[in-house]
C-alpha cells in the first residue's frame, strides 16, 4: 500500500520547454518559414535557369539572389543563437536593456550576413580566377553541348527518348534540369570527356546559332527585313532622272527596274554584310514559299551557317593559354567558367540552407508542441521527442537524403548514367591547376541525390513561387523561343 501511494505521488518527468519566450519563439518561426518559402522558390527558379538558354547577365542576377539568401540563412542561425543566449543569461539573473539586446542582435546578424555574402562571393570568384585556360575553353564547349540538348538538336545516348524521338521532355523535367545544372561542370572538369566536346564543337556551335536566330523562319524574317530596307532605298532612287546615281559610294545607272537594282554588286554586298553571308553568295529578291522555303534554306541559310561557324569556330579552338589571365579570350573564358560553376554552387548552398532551416523549423515547432502534449499524455514517443527535439528533424532529413541516393528515375536508371558512373570511378575533377578534393564519383552521387530530390520538390517549390511570391522571377525572365 505504501509503495503504491509513493508511486502515485512521484513527480512527472521533467518537461523540456523552449529556451526563448513565446513571442520570440513565434517570431523566429515566422521568419524561418518566410525564408524557407523564398529559398524553395529560388531553388525552382534556379532550375528554370539551367534548363533553358541563359546569358551572363541572367547568371549574375541569380548569383546575387543566391548569395543574398545564403547570407540571410546564416544571419537567421545567429539570430536564434543570440536570442537563446540572452534568454539563458536572463534566467541566471544577468539582464541587459532591451535596446542594447536589439542593437546587439541586429549588429551580429548584419555582420554575419555581410561576411557570408563576401565568403560565398570569394569562393566563386576564387574558383573562376584560378580556373585554368583548359577548363575555361572546355566550359564554352560544354555550354554549347548543354544548349544542344536543351534545344533538342542533340540527344544523349542511353537516355530514354520521348514519343516524338527527342529528349525535350526529359530535359524540361525537374530531374532533367537538375542533371543539366551539373553536366557542364562535369564535362569541362573531367578530362575524359574533353575529346567528346571537341569533336562535337562545330555541330553544337551551328545548332546554337540556329536556335539563337530563331531557326529557318527567324533567318527568313531577317532576310525580309533586309529586303524591305533595300526596297525603301529603291523607292528613293528610282525617281531620279540623272544618267548615273551615286548609291553607297558607287555610281549606278538611273531608273533600273527592281530586280536589276537588287542584283547590283553594291546591293548584294550590303545584303551579304547584313545577313552574314560569304562573298560568293547571291541573294534573290524573292523565294518561293510553296516549297516550305527549301530553296531559301539551301541557297541562304546553309551558307550563312557555314560562314558564321567558320568565323566563330577558331575562337573556340584557340590555344588554351588565350583563355587564361591576359589572354585574348580571357573575358569570354571567365564568363564561361562562371556560367558553369555558379549554378551547381548556388544549387548546393540553396539545398543546404533549405535543409538546415527545415530542421530548425521542425525543432522550433516540435519542442513547444511536445511540451503541451505531455500535459495530456505521457506517451513514450512524445517524451522522446520532447527530450531530443532536434533528433527527429535530423533523422528525417538524413532519411530523405539516403532515399534520394538509392532511388532512381529515367535518367539515373539509364545506360548513359551507368556509363558515366563507370567512367568517373577514380577520375579527378580539375577546375584550377590542382585536382579538386571532390572526385568525379562523389560529384555524380551528389548529382544523383539532387536529381531525385528535385523530382519531388520542384512542383511544390514552383507552386510557392507562383502563388505566394506572385511569380517573382529572381532576376531571370523567361524568354519565349
Amino acid at each position: 500500500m505504501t509503495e503504491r501511494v509513493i508511486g502515485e505521488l512521484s513527480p512527472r518527468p521533467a518537461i523540456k520547454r523552449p529556451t526563448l519566450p513565446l513571442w520570440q519563439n513565434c517570431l523566429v518561426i515566422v521568419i524561418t518559414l518566410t525564408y524557407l518559402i523564398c529559398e524553395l522558390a529560388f531553388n525552382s527558379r534556379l532550375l528554370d535557369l539551367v534548363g533553358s538558354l541563359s546569358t551572363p547577365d541572367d547568371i549574375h542576377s541569380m548569383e546575387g539572389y543566391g548569395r543574398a539568401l545564403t547570407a540571410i540563412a546564416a544571419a537567421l542561425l545567429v539570430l536564434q543563437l543570440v536570442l537563446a543566449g540572452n534568454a539563458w543569461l536572463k534566467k541566471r539573473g544577468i539582464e541587459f536593456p532591451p535596446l542594447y539586446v536589439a542593437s546587439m542582435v541586429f549588429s551580429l546578424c548584419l555582420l554575419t550576413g555581410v561576411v557570408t555574402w563576401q565568403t560565398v562571393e570569394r569562393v566563386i570568384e576564387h574558383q573562376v580566377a584560378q580556373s585554368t585556360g583548359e577548363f575555361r575553353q572546355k566550359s564554352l564547349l560544354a555550354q554549347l553541348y548543354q544548349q544542344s540538348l536543351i534545344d533538342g538538336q542533340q540527344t544523349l545516348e542511353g537516355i530514354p527518348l520521348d514519343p516524338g524521338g527527342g529528349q525535350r521532355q526529359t530535359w524540361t523535367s525537374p530531374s532533367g534540369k537538375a542533371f543539366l545544372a551539373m553536366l557542364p561542370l562535369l564535362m569541362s572538369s573531367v578530362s575524359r570527356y574533353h575529346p567528346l566536346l571537341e569533336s562535337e564543337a562545330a555541330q553544337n556551335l551551328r545548332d546554337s546559332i540556329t536556335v539563337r536566330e530563331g531557326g529557318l523562319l527567324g533567318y527568313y524574317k531577317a532576310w525580309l527585313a533586309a529586303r524591305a530596307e533595300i526596297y525603301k532605298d529603291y523607292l528613293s532612287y528610282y525617281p531620279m532622272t540623272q544618267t548615273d546615281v551615286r548609291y553607297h559610294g558607287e555610281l549606278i545607272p538611273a531608273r533600273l527596274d527592281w530586280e536589276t537594282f537588287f542584283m547590283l554588286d553594291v546591293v548584294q554586298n550590303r545584303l551579304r554584310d547584313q545577313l552574314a553571308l560569304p562573298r560568293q553568295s547571291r541573294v534573290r529578291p524573292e523565294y518561293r514559299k510553296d516549297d516550305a522555303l527549301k530553296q531559301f534554306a539551301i541557297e541562304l541559310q546553309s551558307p550563312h551557317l557555314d560562314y558564321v561557324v567558320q568565323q566563330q569556330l577558331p575562337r573556340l579552338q584557340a590555344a588554351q593559354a588565350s583563355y587564361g589571365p591576359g589572354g585574348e579570350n580571357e573575358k569570354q573564358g571567365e564568363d564561361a567558367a562562371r556560367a558553369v560553376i555558379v549554378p551547381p554552387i548556388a544549387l548546393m548552398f540553396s539545398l543546404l540552407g533549405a535543409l538546415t532551416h527545415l530542421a530548425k523549423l521542425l525543432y522550433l515547432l516540435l519542442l513547444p508542441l511536445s511540451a503541451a502534449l505531455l500535459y495530456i499524455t505521457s506517451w513514450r514517443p512524445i517524451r522522446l521527442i520532447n527530450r531530443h527535439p532536434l533528433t527527429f528533424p535530423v533523422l528525417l532529413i538524413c532519411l530523405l537524403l539516403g532515399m534520394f541516393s538509392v532511388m532512381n528515375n529515367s535518367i539515373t536508371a539509364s545506360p548513359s548514367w551507368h556509363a558515366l558512373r563507370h567512367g568517373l570511378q577514380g577520375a579527378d575533377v580539375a577546375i584550377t591547376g590542382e585536382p579538386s578534393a571532390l572526385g568525379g564519383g562523389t560529384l555524380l552521387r551528389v548529382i544523383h541525390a539532387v536529381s531525385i530530390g528535385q523530382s519531388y520538390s520542384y512542383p511544390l517549390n514552383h507552386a510557392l513561387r507562383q502563388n505566394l511570391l506572385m511569380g517573382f522571377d529572381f532576376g531571370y525572365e523567361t524568354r519565349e523561343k
Side-chain angles (χ1 to χ4, degrees), residues 356-399:
T356 300
H357 285 276
L358 177 60
K360 189 185 82 171
L361 180 64
L362 291 174
Y363 167 81
L364 292 171
L365 292 171
L366 285 174
L367 185 55
L369 180 62
S370 62
L373 288 176
L374 283 178
Y375 284 100
I376 302 173
T377 177
S378 59
W379 191 34
R380 183 175 178 80
I382 301 296
R383 292 203 309 271
L384 288 174
I385 291 176
N386 181 256
R387 191 174 304 164
H388 308 287
L390 192 57
T391 302
F392 174 75
V394 171
L395 288 177
L396 176 62
I397 291 173
C398 290
L399 177 62

Side-chain angles (χ1 to χ4, degrees), residues 43-53 146 150 167-184 343-344 347 409 411 447 450-452 454-455 458-459 462 465 476 478:
N43 185 273
S44 74
R45 197 57 179 160
L46 181 60
L47 282 186
D48 292 338
L49 173 75
V50 300
S52 61
L53 299 180
Q146 179 196 41
I150 293 172
Q167 294 173 337
R168 288 184 60 84
Q169 292 181 13
T170 296
W171 305 130
T172 54
S173 68
S175 56
K177 290 178 180 180
F179 178 73
L180 287 178
M182 303 288 192
L183 184 63
L347 193 59
N409 56 26
I411 294 177
I447 297 175
V450 171
S451 178
I452 298 296
Q454 292 295 345
S455 303
Y458 179 86
H462 181 71
R465 187 179 73 84
Y476 170 59
T478 304

Side-chain angles (χ1 to χ4, degrees), residues 35-289:
Y35 159 79
L36 265 178
I37 291 172
C38 294
E39 185 66 81
L40 295 175
F42 170 78
N43 185 273
S44 74
R45 197 57 179 160
L46 181 60
L47 282 186
D48 292 338
L49 173 75
V50 300
S52 61
L53 299 180
S54 56
T55 66
D57 288 339
D58 296 329
I59 299 290
H60 182 72
S61 296
M62 290 291 284
E63 180 186 354
Y65 279 103
R67 288 204 306 268
L69 286 169
T70 302
I72 291 172
L76 286 180
L77 287 176
V78 171
L79 171 66
Q80 186 174 355
L81 291 174
V82 173
L83 290 178
N86 181 64
W88 184 83
L89 291 174
K90 185 180 290 188
K91 288 180 180 179
R92 282 151 183 79
I94 304 174
E95 189 167 353
F96 299 98
L99 183 60
Y100 175 82
V101 174
S103 300
M104 180 177 61
V105 169
F106 176 79
S107 299
L108 289 175
C109 289
L110 180 62
L111 177 63
T112 301
V114 171
V115 170
T116 303
W117 171 285
Q118 293 181 342
T119 300
V120 175
E121 184 178 25
R122 287 180 181 177
V123 167
I124 293 174
E125 292 304 320
H126 175 77
Q127 291 295 312
V128 172
Q130 297 298 317
S131 59
T132 63
E134 180 184 27
F135 176 81
R136 295 178 181 185
Q137 184 191 49
K138 296 307 181 287
S139 294
L140 274 174
L141 300 181
Q143 284 181 275
L144 290 175
Y145 186 83
Q146 179 196 41
Q147 290 172 7
S148 292
L149 291 175
I150 293 172
D151 298 326
Q153 303 288 337
Q154 187 165 166
T155 58
L156 186 59
E157 186 178 357
I159 298 292
L161 298 177
D162 301 335
Q167 294 173 337
R168 288 184 60 84
Q169 292 181 13
T170 296
W171 305 130
T172 54
S173 68
S175 56
K177 290 178 180 180
F179 178 73
L180 287 178
M182 303 288 192
L183 184 63
L185 176 62
L186 188 67
M187 300 191 76
S188 55
S189 61
V190 179
S191 59
R192 67 163 292 155
Y193 297 109
H194 293 176
L196 171 63
L197 295 177
E198 292 166 358
S199 64
E200 298 286 347
Q203 184 59 51
N204 290 338
L205 177 59
R206 188 185 183 93
D207 294 340
S208 176
I209 295 168
T210 302
V211 173
R212 194 164 58 241
E213 293 177 345
L216 176 61
L217 184 58
Y219 190 65
Y220 181 74
K221 290 179 180 178
W223 168 76
L224 288 177
R227 188 186 67 167
E229 187 176 334
I230 297 297
Y231 187 69
K232 187 185 297 184
D233 291 349
Y234 178 74
L235 293 178
S236 300
Y237 145 83
Y238 189 75
M240 298 181 182
T241 57
Q242 59 264 44
T243 305
D244 292 321
V245 176
R246 187 168 293 278
Y247 180 73
H248 283 270
E250 293 191 22
L251 288 176
I252 61 174
R255 301 185 66 81
L256 295 173
D257 62 80
W258 163 242
E259 290 192 3
T260 304
F261 174 84
F262 193 88
M263 299 305 293
L264 290 173
D265 286 343
V266 63
V267 174
Q268 289 289 308
N269 286 336
R270 287 193 63 201
L271 289 167
R272 283 190 283 262
D273 290 340
Q274 288 179 295
L275 298 173
L277 287 164
R279 292 295 97 184
Q280 66 272 19
S281 294
R282 302 291 287 176
V283 184
R284 298 172 183 266
E286 193 63 54
Y287 289 93
R288 293 166 48 200
K289 296 181 181 178

